[in-house]
Amino acid sequence: MHILKMNSVILLLVAIFAIGNCANSDWWKTAVFYQIYPRSFKDDSNDGVGDLKGVISKLPYLKELGITATWLSPIFKSPQVDQGYDISDYRVVDPLFGNNNDLTELIKEANKLGIKIILDFVPNHTSEEHEWFKASVNGTPKYLDYYIWRDGENKDDKKPPNNWLSNFGGIAWTYNETRKMWYYHEFAKAQPDLNYRNPDVVKDMKDILVYWLDQGVAGFRIDAVPYLFEDVNFENETATDKTKGVDPSNWNSLQHTKTLDLNETLDMIYQFRELIDEYNKNHTEDTRVIMTEAYTDFDKTLLYYGLKDGSRLGAHFTFNFDFIQSLSKNSSATDIKNIIENWFENLPEIYTYNWVVGNHDNHRIATRLGVENVDAIMLLQGILPGVMVTYNGEEIGMEDGEVDFDQRQDPQATDEKTFKEKSRDFERTPFQWDNSTNAGFNKGNKTWLPVSKNYINTNVELQNTTVDSHLNIYKSLIKNRKKISPAAKTKIEVLNSTVLTIYRTTETETYFYLYNRLGEPMIINNAGLNNSKILIKSTNSEKEVGSIINGTILVETNESLILHKDNPKDNGSFLYKTQPTVLIAVLFLIFVLNSI
């Protein structure tokens, strides 16, 4: 072969290698995001509150789990009225969790392990201790309209401007004696809402996003997005149709057409996405992403993804809370199927599915659906296409902790009569690492919330050494989930009324998910299961991993399984599994070699 041609081939091979190792724009589409509630994850300083050094110490654990990225609930400077969701400085880590150098170290060490760091961005409101709000109260010209200020009804200071209510209960307006006006707060009175009709506010918030992107974060979880804008005329909300027996001070007594999901709010999320896309365009690292929290109706949830035709994009994904909000202990296999198919049928193909089964605002899976169903729900989440989001502790089947009223920390649950109903403290108790003092959360100092009493039997150390444990099932799930091609077709069936079955199929293999939801033991006859192997089983299953199924299988009540089988291979299997960019390069190489 001519030397010049040989050099050309070598350069081509180098180019192919570069193509295969360029920034990954689609990493997030099949990612496992792990939510860490820093206060309760690991307390390195032994002051009773979790911190960033504690998170750093547990990065190897996240790597062992197979986590792609971890999202940290708020860690910025805050008076902690609402556990950090009341931010007084968006660019400074709260001393409670460490400092900015600790965050830099966390990002660096996580990246070494292939784990991306996602920060919690809270754009709707600040703390009343933020310098912007102080300046606004004092009448500093630039900051006069940084927040939502109004005179009282008919300029009577004794009555709020309208009937808007707070998510935390009661009127959503607080009178400020210094400025002699009312300010609006969708949440606690210590959390004044920003005024997004002021372009300076928009610019400042976008600058904060860019600041943290420059520090190396992989993206943001954006909090409470439906509330960014309010009706420009401040008209009263309309009462709901069903007001009988509903406390008029309760948020649910109004319809919230003036304060929720306004078109301007959607536009602002689209603007945030444009900023992120522009940043990605100008940087060579893996794609930075945004994911939005929107507790709203289904159609509006889809809009936070972007417009149906993709002409404007919103979040890379907005959280799908249907498994949290719609499933109960009485939900049937058909109910689960309907939830999934609703997303399959209505989310435009240009967008990516996501499945969330727990977070810091809702009771844990084991408490909501029963300990016997923990594995089934995790396996369900993992077998489905798209993004998987895990709340810390769900991988070991943690249950809600025990918190008395006098130990409360949640600002939305201050009434003893409704404490158990409203408090979010129960799902936020410290992570259970082992059976030592305070479950290994710290070295023995009093914890900010009490450690659950069941930590002796539910902890990482114990489950690591138990083959059939929630933790080891979770690890196996994530390991095998990464092997499923994103192109695998998905089919859902309910067999014999109670057995939920999900098939993920490619030209070369099929994964089967089986879950007997609340039914009597069922014998499933399915020729498609011939020669399939049990890959993963729930802790309540007595079957053996690795055993072969020959078309018939007995699925016990609440038992869940993932099976796997190879399909007949064809000559196109290599091309089928090869990444498109690499495939093109390989074909070009073949062409060049044939031309030499």
Side-chain angles (χ1 to χ4, degrees), residues 52-53 56 72 75-76 90-93 97-110 117-119 211-212 215-217:
L52 293 181
K53 285 191 178 297
I56 292 170
L72 305 175
I75 56 171
F76 299 126
Y90 286 91
R91 299 180 191 230
V92 176
V93 171
F97 303 114
N99 55 46
N100 283 38
N101 289 335
D102 293 332
L103 180 53
T104 299
E105 182 185 359
L106 172 58
I107 294 169
K108 178 182 177 182
E109 295 303 314
I117 298 298
I118 306 291
L119 297 183
Y211 174 81
W212 285 112
Q215 306 309 306
V217 303

PDB file of all heavy atoms in Angstrom, residues 52-53 56 72 75-76 90-93 97-110 117-119 211-212 215-217:
ATOM      1  N   LEU A  52     -21.847  18.620  52.233  1.00  0.00           N
ATOM      2  CA  LEU A  52     -21.230  18.266  50.954  1.00  0.00           C
ATOM      3  C   LEU A  52     -20.071  17.300  51.111  1.00  0.00           C
ATOM      4  O   LEU A  52     -19.870  16.418  50.268  1.00  0.00           O
ATOM      5  CB  LEU A  52     -20.763  19.537  50.228  1.00  0.00           C
ATOM      6  CG  LEU A  52     -21.883  20.469  49.747  1.00  0.00           C
ATOM      7  CD1 LEU A  52     -21.289  21.668  49.016  1.00  0.00           C
ATOM      8  CD2 LEU A  52     -22.862  19.733  48.842  1.00  0.00           C
ATOM      9  N   LYS A  53     -19.280  17.444  52.161  1.00  0.00           N
ATOM     10  CA  LYS A  53     -18.200  16.481  52.381  1.00  0.00           C
ATOM     11  C   LYS A  53     -18.771  15.088  52.632  1.00  0.00           C
ATOM     12  O   LYS A  53     -18.169  14.075  52.260  1.00  0.00           O
ATOM     13  CB  LYS A  53     -17.320  16.941  53.549  1.00  0.00           C
ATOM     14  CG  LYS A  53     -16.394  18.100  53.201  1.00  0.00           C
ATOM     15  CD  LYS A  53     -15.372  18.352  54.276  1.00  0.00           C
ATOM     16  CE  LYS A  53     -14.418  19.476  53.905  1.00  0.00           C
ATOM     17  NZ  LYS A  53     -13.604  19.155  52.703  1.00  0.00           N
ATOM     18  N   ILE A  56     -19.493  13.766  49.232  1.00  0.00           N
ATOM     19  CA  ILE A  56     -18.240  13.363  48.585  1.00  0.00           C
ATOM     20  C   ILE A  56     -17.802  11.984  49.078  1.00  0.00           C
ATOM     21  O   ILE A  56     -17.372  11.134  48.297  1.00  0.00           O
ATOM     22  CB  ILE A  56     -17.130  14.407  48.853  1.00  0.00           C
ATOM     23  CG1 ILE A  56     -17.460  15.726  48.139  1.00  0.00           C
ATOM     24  CG2 ILE A  56     -15.766  13.895  48.381  1.00  0.00           C
ATOM     25  CD1 ILE A  56     -16.562  16.886  48.525  1.00  0.00           C
ATOM     26  N   LEU A  72     -28.851  17.528  43.679  1.00  0.00           N
ATOM     27  CA  LEU A  72     -28.809  17.948  45.066  1.00  0.00           C
ATOM     28  C   LEU A  72     -29.953  18.905  45.350  1.00  0.00           C
ATOM     29  O   LEU A  72     -30.075  19.939  44.686  1.00  0.00           O
ATOM     30  CB  LEU A  72     -27.485  18.658  45.377  1.00  0.00           C
ATOM     31  CG  LEU A  72     -26.182  17.918  45.071  1.00  0.00           C
ATOM     32  CD1 LEU A  72     -24.999  18.834  45.340  1.00  0.00           C
ATOM     33  CD2 LEU A  72     -26.075  16.657  45.906  1.00  0.00           C
ATOM     34  N   ILE A  75     -28.690  23.840  48.218  1.00  0.00           N
ATOM     35  CA  ILE A  75     -27.530  23.929  49.113  1.00  0.00           C
ATOM     36  C   ILE A  75     -27.039  25.365  49.253  1.00  0.00           C
ATOM     37  O   ILE A  75     -26.021  25.616  49.883  1.00  0.00           O
ATOM     38  CB  ILE A  75     -26.368  23.058  48.589  1.00  0.00           C
ATOM     39  CG1 ILE A  75     -26.011  23.452  47.154  1.00  0.00           C
ATOM     40  CG2 ILE A  75     -26.710  21.577  48.682  1.00  0.00           C
ATOM     41  CD1 ILE A  75     -24.743  22.811  46.629  1.00  0.00           C
ATOM     42  N   PHE A  76     -27.772  26.328  48.685  1.00  0.00           N
ATOM     43  CA  PHE A  76     -27.308  27.715  48.698  1.00  0.00           C
ATOM     44  C   PHE A  76     -27.642  28.413  50.016  1.00  0.00           C
ATOM     45  O   PHE A  76     -28.482  27.954  50.792  1.00  0.00           O
ATOM     46  CB  PHE A  76     -27.908  28.479  47.520  1.00  0.00           C
ATOM     47  CG  PHE A  76     -27.524  27.907  46.187  1.00  0.00           C
ATOM     48  CD1 PHE A  76     -28.491  27.554  45.256  1.00  0.00           C
ATOM     49  CD2 PHE A  76     -26.193  27.699  45.867  1.00  0.00           C
ATOM     50  CE1 PHE A  76     -28.142  27.023  44.029  1.00  0.00           C
ATOM     51  CE2 PHE A  76     -25.831  27.169  44.634  1.00  0.00           C
ATOM     52  CZ  PHE A  76     -26.800  26.824  43.725  1.00  0.00           C
ATOM     53  N   TYR A  90     -27.747  33.135  45.711  1.00  0.00           N
ATOM     54  CA  TYR A  90     -27.726  32.026  44.755  1.00  0.00           C
ATOM     55  C   TYR A  90     -26.320  31.589  44.356  1.00  0.00           C
ATOM     56  O   TYR A  90     -26.165  30.592  43.666  1.00  0.00           O
ATOM     57  CB  TYR A  90     -28.477  32.420  43.482  1.00  0.00           C
ATOM     58  CG  TYR A  90     -29.978  32.453  43.615  1.00  0.00           C
ATOM     59  CD1 TYR A  90     -30.642  33.624  43.990  1.00  0.00           C
ATOM     60  CD2 TYR A  90     -30.755  31.324  43.339  1.00  0.00           C
ATOM     61  CE1 TYR A  90     -32.030  33.668  44.090  1.00  0.00           C
ATOM     62  CE2 TYR A  90     -32.136  31.357  43.438  1.00  0.00           C
ATOM     63  CZ  TYR A  90     -32.768  32.532  43.815  1.00  0.00           C
ATOM     64  OH  TYR A  90     -34.143  32.569  43.912  1.00  0.00           O
ATOM     65  N   ARG A  91     -25.298  32.335  44.757  1.00  0.00           N
ATOM     66  CA  ARG A  91     -23.943  32.021  44.323  1.00  0.00           C
ATOM     67  C   ARG A  91     -23.044  31.547  45.457  1.00  0.00           C
ATOM     68  O   ARG A  91     -21.847  31.345  45.258  1.00  0.00           O
ATOM     69  CB  ARG A  91     -23.310  33.248  43.649  1.00  0.00           C
ATOM     70  CG  ARG A  91     -24.065  33.701  42.419  1.00  0.00           C
ATOM     71  CD  ARG A  91     -23.418  34.922  41.786  1.00  0.00           C
ATOM     72  NE  ARG A  91     -24.304  35.485  40.753  1.00  0.00           N
ATOM     73  CZ  ARG A  91     -23.927  35.783  39.519  1.00  0.00           C
ATOM     74  NH1 ARG A  91     -22.683  35.562  39.136  1.00  0.00           N
ATOM     75  NH2 ARG A  91     -24.776  36.308  38.663  1.00  0.00           N
ATOM     76  N   VAL A  92     -23.628  31.351  46.616  1.00  0.00           N
ATOM     77  CA  VAL A  92     -22.839  30.960  47.791  1.00  0.00           C
ATOM     78  C   VAL A  92     -23.459  29.729  48.445  1.00  0.00           C
ATOM     79  O   VAL A  92     -24.663  29.701  48.704  1.00  0.00           O
ATOM     80  CB  VAL A  92     -22.764  32.113  48.821  1.00  0.00           C
ATOM     81  CG1 VAL A  92     -22.017  31.671  50.075  1.00  0.00           C
ATOM     82  CG2 VAL A  92     -22.089  33.342  48.200  1.00  0.00           C
ATOM     83  N   VAL A  93     -22.633  28.729  48.724  1.00  0.00           N
ATOM     84  CA  VAL A  93     -23.092  27.532  49.440  1.00  0.00           C
ATOM     85  C   VAL A  93     -23.344  27.895  50.894  1.00  0.00           C
ATOM     86  O   VAL A  93     -22.543  28.602  51.522  1.00  0.00           O
ATOM     87  CB  VAL A  93     -22.041  26.407  49.348  1.00  0.00           C
ATOM     88  CG1 VAL A  93     -22.401  25.242  50.269  1.00  0.00           C
ATOM     89  CG2 VAL A  93     -21.911  25.921  47.905  1.00  0.00           C
ATOM     90  N   PHE A  97     -23.877  23.416  54.859  1.00  0.00           N
ATOM     91  CA  PHE A  97     -23.453  22.302  54.009  1.00  0.00           C
ATOM     92  C   PHE A  97     -21.964  22.339  53.657  1.00  0.00           C
ATOM     93  O   PHE A  97     -21.449  21.380  53.071  1.00  0.00           O
ATOM     94  CB  PHE A  97     -24.274  22.303  52.714  1.00  0.00           C
ATOM     95  CG  PHE A  97     -25.756  22.229  52.936  1.00  0.00           C
ATOM     96  CD1 PHE A  97     -26.581  23.284  52.589  1.00  0.00           C
ATOM     97  CD2 PHE A  97     -26.328  21.105  53.515  1.00  0.00           C
ATOM     98  CE1 PHE A  97     -27.953  23.226  52.798  1.00  0.00           C
ATOM     99  CE2 PHE A  97     -27.700  21.029  53.726  1.00  0.00           C
ATOM    100  CZ  PHE A  97     -28.520  22.093  53.378  1.00  0.00           C
ATOM    101  N   GLY A  98     -21.301  23.433  53.968  1.00  0.00           N
ATOM    102  CA  GLY A  98     -19.887  23.568  53.639  1.00  0.00           C
ATOM    103  C   GLY A  98     -19.623  24.907  53.000  1.00  0.00           C
ATOM    104  O   GLY A  98     -20.107  25.940  53.457  1.00  0.00           O
ATOM    105  N   ASN A  99     -18.874  24.915  51.909  1.00  0.00           N
ATOM    106  CA  ASN A  99     -18.571  26.159  51.210  1.00  0.00           C
ATOM    107  C   ASN A  99     -18.422  25.890  49.714  1.00  0.00           C
ATOM    108  O   ASN A  99     -18.540  24.751  49.262  1.00  0.00           O
ATOM    109  CB  ASN A  99     -17.304  26.807  51.786  1.00  0.00           C
ATOM    110  CG  ASN A  99     -16.110  25.859  51.776  1.00  0.00           C
ATOM    111  OD1 ASN A  99     -15.853  25.198  50.769  1.00  0.00           O
ATOM    112  ND2 ASN A  99     -15.394  25.769  52.896  1.00  0.00           N
ATOM    113  N   ASN A 100     -18.150  26.948  48.964  1.00  0.00           N
ATOM    114  CA  ASN A 100     -18.050  26.805  47.511  1.00  0.00           C
ATOM    115  C   ASN A 100     -16.916  25.889  47.096  1.00  0.00           C
ATOM    116  O   ASN A 100     -17.008  25.190  46.075  1.00  0.00           O
ATOM    117  CB  ASN A 100     -17.881  28.184  46.871  1.00  0.00           C
ATOM    118  CG  ASN A 100     -19.195  28.961  46.816  1.00  0.00           C
ATOM    119  OD1 ASN A 100     -20.004  28.890  47.740  1.00  0.00           O
ATOM    120  ND2 ASN A 100     -19.402  29.700  45.751  1.00  0.00           N
ATOM    121  N   ASN A 101     -15.830  25.878  47.879  1.00  0.00           N
ATOM    122  CA  ASN A 101     -14.716  24.974  47.565  1.00  0.00           C
ATOM    123  C   ASN A 101     -15.145  23.514  47.689  1.00  0.00           C
ATOM    124  O   ASN A 101     -14.695  22.654  46.925  1.00  0.00           O
ATOM    125  CB  ASN A 101     -13.526  25.258  48.475  1.00  0.00           C
ATOM    126  CG  ASN A 101     -12.850  26.576  48.144  1.00  0.00           C
ATOM    127  OD1 ASN A 101     -12.930  27.053  47.019  1.00  0.00           O
ATOM    128  ND2 ASN A 101     -12.186  27.168  49.124  1.00  0.00           N
ATOM    129  N   ASP A 102     -16.007  23.240  48.666  1.00  0.00           N
ATOM    130  CA  ASP A 102     -16.518  21.868  48.829  1.00  0.00           C
ATOM    131  C   ASP A 102     -17.341  21.453  47.610  1.00  0.00           C
ATOM    132  O   ASP A 102     -17.259  20.307  47.148  1.00  0.00           O
ATOM    133  CB  ASP A 102     -17.379  21.757  50.092  1.00  0.00           C
ATOM    134  CG  ASP A 102     -16.580  21.946  51.363  1.00  0.00           C
ATOM    135  OD1 ASP A 102     -15.373  21.635  51.361  1.00  0.00           O
ATOM    136  OD2 ASP A 102     -17.161  22.423  52.358  1.00  0.00           O
ATOM    137  N   LEU A 103     -18.136  22.395  47.086  1.00  0.00           N
ATOM    138  CA  LEU A 103     -18.942  22.084  45.905  1.00  0.00           C
ATOM    139  C   LEU A 103     -18.036  21.851  44.699  1.00  0.00           C
ATOM    140  O   LEU A 103     -18.272  20.930  43.907  1.00  0.00           O
ATOM    141  CB  LEU A 103     -19.935  23.209  45.622  1.00  0.00           C
ATOM    142  CG  LEU A 103     -20.850  23.011  44.404  1.00  0.00           C
ATOM    143  CD1 LEU A 103     -21.582  21.677  44.465  1.00  0.00           C
ATOM    144  CD2 LEU A 103     -21.847  24.163  44.287  1.00  0.00           C
ATOM    145  N   THR A 104     -17.000  22.665  44.574  1.00  0.00           N
ATOM    146  CA  THR A 104     -16.035  22.470  43.478  1.00  0.00           C
ATOM    147  C   THR A 104     -15.392  21.098  43.571  1.00  0.00           C
ATOM    148  O   THR A 104     -15.244  20.392  42.559  1.00  0.00           O
ATOM    149  CB  THR A 104     -14.947  23.559  43.526  1.00  0.00           C
ATOM    150  OG1 THR A 104     -15.557  24.846  43.360  1.00  0.00           O
ATOM    151  CG2 THR A 104     -13.912  23.348  42.431  1.00  0.00           C
ATOM    152  N   GLU A 105     -15.017  20.701  44.791  1.00  0.00           N
ATOM    153  CA  GLU A 105     -14.413  19.383  44.991  1.00  0.00           C
ATOM    154  C   GLU A 105     -15.404  18.273  44.662  1.00  0.00           C
ATOM    155  O   GLU A 105     -15.046  17.261  44.040  1.00  0.00           O
ATOM    156  CB  GLU A 105     -13.926  19.234  46.435  1.00  0.00           C
ATOM    157  CG  GLU A 105     -13.249  17.893  46.699  1.00  0.00           C
ATOM    158  CD  GLU A 105     -12.863  17.694  48.163  1.00  0.00           C
ATOM    159  OE1 GLU A 105     -13.096  18.610  48.975  1.00  0.00           O
ATOM    160  OE2 GLU A 105     -12.366  16.596  48.486  1.00  0.00           O
ATOM    161  N   LEU A 106     -16.653  18.463  45.056  1.00  0.00           N
ATOM    162  CA  LEU A 106     -17.686  17.467  44.769  1.00  0.00           C
ATOM    163  C   LEU A 106     -17.844  17.275  43.258  1.00  0.00           C
ATOM    164  O   LEU A 106     -17.893  16.133  42.771  1.00  0.00           O
ATOM    165  CB  LEU A 106     -19.019  17.902  45.386  1.00  0.00           C
ATOM    166  CG  LEU A 106     -20.255  17.072  45.018  1.00  0.00           C
ATOM    167  CD1 LEU A 106     -20.068  15.613  45.406  1.00  0.00           C
ATOM    168  CD2 LEU A 106     -21.507  17.647  45.666  1.00  0.00           C
ATOM    169  N   ILE A 107     -17.916  18.365  42.519  1.00  0.00           N
ATOM    170  CA  ILE A 107     -18.063  18.274  41.066  1.00  0.00           C
ATOM    171  C   ILE A 107     -16.870  17.547  40.464  1.00  0.00           C
ATOM    172  O   ILE A 107     -17.016  16.661  39.616  1.00  0.00           O
ATOM    173  CB  ILE A 107     -18.214  19.684  40.458  1.00  0.00           C
ATOM    174  CG1 ILE A 107     -19.524  20.326  40.920  1.00  0.00           C
ATOM    175  CG2 ILE A 107     -18.160  19.619  38.933  1.00  0.00           C
ATOM    176  CD1 ILE A 107     -19.646  21.795  40.584  1.00  0.00           C
ATOM    177  N   LYS A 108     -15.668  17.903  40.931  1.00  0.00           N
ATOM    178  CA  LYS A 108     -14.438  17.301  40.416  1.00  0.00           C
ATOM    179  C   LYS A 108     -14.384  15.805  40.696  1.00  0.00           C
ATOM    180  O   LYS A 108     -14.113  14.994  39.799  1.00  0.00           O
ATOM    181  CB  LYS A 108     -13.234  17.999  41.040  1.00  0.00           C
ATOM    182  CG  LYS A 108     -11.883  17.436  40.619  1.00  0.00           C
ATOM    183  CD  LYS A 108     -10.741  18.171  41.323  1.00  0.00           C
ATOM    184  CE  LYS A 108      -9.387  17.564  40.976  1.00  0.00           C
ATOM    185  NZ  LYS A 108      -8.280  18.261  41.699  1.00  0.00           N
ATOM    186  N   GLU A 109     -14.659  15.421  41.938  1.00  0.00           N
ATOM    187  CA  GLU A 109     -14.572  14.011  42.318  1.00  0.00           C
ATOM    188  C   GLU A 109     -15.676  13.191  41.666  1.00  0.00           C
ATOM    189  O   GLU A 109     -15.471  12.038  41.287  1.00  0.00           O
ATOM    190  CB  GLU A 109     -14.630  13.869  43.849  1.00  0.00           C
ATOM    191  CG  GLU A 109     -13.440  14.481  44.580  1.00  0.00           C
ATOM    192  CD  GLU A 109     -12.117  13.884  44.092  1.00  0.00           C
ATOM    193  OE1 GLU A 109     -12.034  12.640  43.967  1.00  0.00           O
ATOM    194  OE2 GLU A 109     -11.181  14.663  43.819  1.00  0.00           O
ATOM    195  N   ALA A 110     -16.853  13.784  41.542  1.00  0.00           N
ATOM    196  CA  ALA A 110     -17.956  13.081  40.887  1.00  0.00           C
ATOM    197  C   ALA A 110     -17.633  12.847  39.414  1.00  0.00           C
ATOM    198  O   ALA A 110     -17.870  11.753  38.881  1.00  0.00           O
ATOM    199  CB  ALA A 110     -19.247  13.890  41.031  1.00  0.00           C
ATOM    200  N   ILE A 117     -23.201  16.296  38.286  1.00  0.00           N
ATOM    201  CA  ILE A 117     -23.851  16.992  39.398  1.00  0.00           C
ATOM    202  C   ILE A 117     -24.893  17.968  38.865  1.00  0.00           C
ATOM    203  O   ILE A 117     -24.604  18.823  38.031  1.00  0.00           O
ATOM    204  CB  ILE A 117     -22.822  17.754  40.259  1.00  0.00           C
ATOM    205  CG1 ILE A 117     -21.815  16.780  40.887  1.00  0.00           C
ATOM    206  CG2 ILE A 117     -23.531  18.566  41.343  1.00  0.00           C
ATOM    207  CD1 ILE A 117     -22.428  15.753  41.823  1.00  0.00           C
ATOM    208  N   ILE A 118     -26.119  17.812  39.353  1.00  0.00           N
ATOM    209  CA  ILE A 118     -27.247  18.674  39.004  1.00  0.00           C
ATOM    210  C   ILE A 118     -27.616  19.498  40.238  1.00  0.00           C
ATOM    211  O   ILE A 118     -27.751  18.946  41.336  1.00  0.00           O
ATOM    212  CB  ILE A 118     -28.467  17.836  38.571  1.00  0.00           C
ATOM    213  CG1 ILE A 118     -28.104  16.867  37.440  1.00  0.00           C
ATOM    214  CG2 ILE A 118     -29.632  18.739  38.190  1.00  0.00           C
ATOM    215  CD1 ILE A 118     -27.802  17.501  36.129  1.00  0.00           C
ATOM    216  N   LEU A 119     -27.781  20.811  40.069  1.00  0.00           N
ATOM    217  CA  LEU A 119     -28.162  21.671  41.189  1.00  0.00           C
ATOM    218  C   LEU A 119     -29.651  22.000  41.144  1.00  0.00           C
ATOM    219  O   LEU A 119     -30.260  22.027  40.079  1.00  0.00           O
ATOM    220  CB  LEU A 119     -27.353  22.975  41.168  1.00  0.00           C
ATOM    221  CG  LEU A 119     -25.842  22.846  41.348  1.00  0.00           C
ATOM    222  CD1 LEU A 119     -25.201  24.234  41.367  1.00  0.00           C
ATOM    223  CD2 LEU A 119     -25.490  22.084  42.625  1.00  0.00           C
ATOM    224  N   TYR A 211     -23.520  31.256  35.580  1.00  0.00           N
ATOM    225  CA  TYR A 211     -22.455  31.213  36.581  1.00  0.00           C
ATOM    226  C   TYR A 211     -22.167  29.779  37.020  1.00  0.00           C
ATOM    227  O   TYR A 211     -21.010  29.340  37.052  1.00  0.00           O
ATOM    228  CB  TYR A 211     -22.843  32.056  37.802  1.00  0.00           C
ATOM    229  CG  TYR A 211     -21.859  31.943  38.944  1.00  0.00           C
ATOM    230  CD1 TYR A 211     -20.692  32.683  38.950  1.00  0.00           C
ATOM    231  CD2 TYR A 211     -22.099  31.063  40.018  1.00  0.00           C
ATOM    232  CE1 TYR A 211     -19.772  32.578  39.997  1.00  0.00           C
ATOM    233  CE2 TYR A 211     -21.193  30.948  41.056  1.00  0.00           C
ATOM    234  CZ  TYR A 211     -20.034  31.703  41.043  1.00  0.00           C
ATOM    235  OH  TYR A 211     -19.131  31.574  42.081  1.00  0.00           O
ATOM    236  N   TRP A 212     -23.216  29.008  37.305  1.00  0.00           N
ATOM    237  CA  TRP A 212     -23.009  27.638  37.790  1.00  0.00           C
ATOM    238  C   TRP A 212     -22.650  26.678  36.663  1.00  0.00           C
ATOM    239  O   TRP A 212     -21.909  25.704  36.877  1.00  0.00           O
ATOM    240  CB  TRP A 212     -24.234  27.169  38.575  1.00  0.00           C
ATOM    241  CG  TRP A 212     -24.283  27.810  39.929  1.00  0.00           C
ATOM    242  CD1 TRP A 212     -25.180  28.725  40.382  1.00  0.00           C
ATOM    243  CD2 TRP A 212     -23.341  27.617  40.981  1.00  0.00           C
ATOM    244  NE1 TRP A 212     -24.867  29.116  41.655  1.00  0.00           N
ATOM    245  CE2 TRP A 212     -23.738  28.447  42.054  1.00  0.00           C
ATOM    246  CE3 TRP A 212     -22.197  26.842  41.144  1.00  0.00           C
ATOM    247  CZ2 TRP A 212     -23.045  28.510  43.260  1.00  0.00           C
ATOM    248  CZ3 TRP A 212     -21.495  26.900  42.347  1.00  0.00           C
ATOM    249  CH2 TRP A 212     -21.916  27.723  43.377  1.00  0.00           C
ATOM    250  N   GLN A 215     -19.104  26.764  36.410  1.00  0.00           N
ATOM    251  CA  GLN A 215     -18.425  26.044  37.503  1.00  0.00           C
ATOM    252  C   GLN A 215     -18.413  24.536  37.271  1.00  0.00           C
ATOM    253  O   GLN A 215     -17.832  23.786  38.054  1.00  0.00           O
ATOM    254  CB  GLN A 215     -19.105  26.343  38.853  1.00  0.00           C
ATOM    255  CG  GLN A 215     -19.252  27.810  39.201  1.00  0.00           C
ATOM    256  CD  GLN A 215     -17.956  28.580  39.067  1.00  0.00           C
ATOM    257  OE1 GLN A 215     -16.939  28.206  39.644  1.00  0.00           O
ATOM    258  NE2 GLN A 215     -17.991  29.673  38.297  1.00  0.00           N
ATOM    259  N   GLY A 216     -19.078  24.090  36.209  1.00  0.00           N
ATOM    260  CA  GLY A 216     -18.994  22.679  35.843  1.00  0.00           C
ATOM    261  C   GLY A 216     -20.200  21.830  36.165  1.00  0.00           C
ATOM    262  O   GLY A 216     -20.148  20.604  36.009  1.00  0.00           O
ATOM    263  N   VAL A 217     -21.318  22.429  36.603  1.00  0.00           N
ATOM    264  CA  VAL A 217     -22.492  21.600  36.880  1.00  0.00           C
ATOM    265  C   VAL A 217     -23.094  21.131  35.557  1.00  0.00           C
ATOM    266  O   VAL A 217     -22.951  21.783  34.516  1.00  0.00           O
ATOM    267  CB  VAL A 217     -23.552  22.344  37.722  1.00  0.00           C
ATOM    268  CG1 VAL A 217     -22.956  22.835  39.018  1.00  0.00           C
ATOM    269  CG2 VAL A 217     -24.190  23.478  36.948  1.00  0.00           C
TER     270      VAL A 217
END
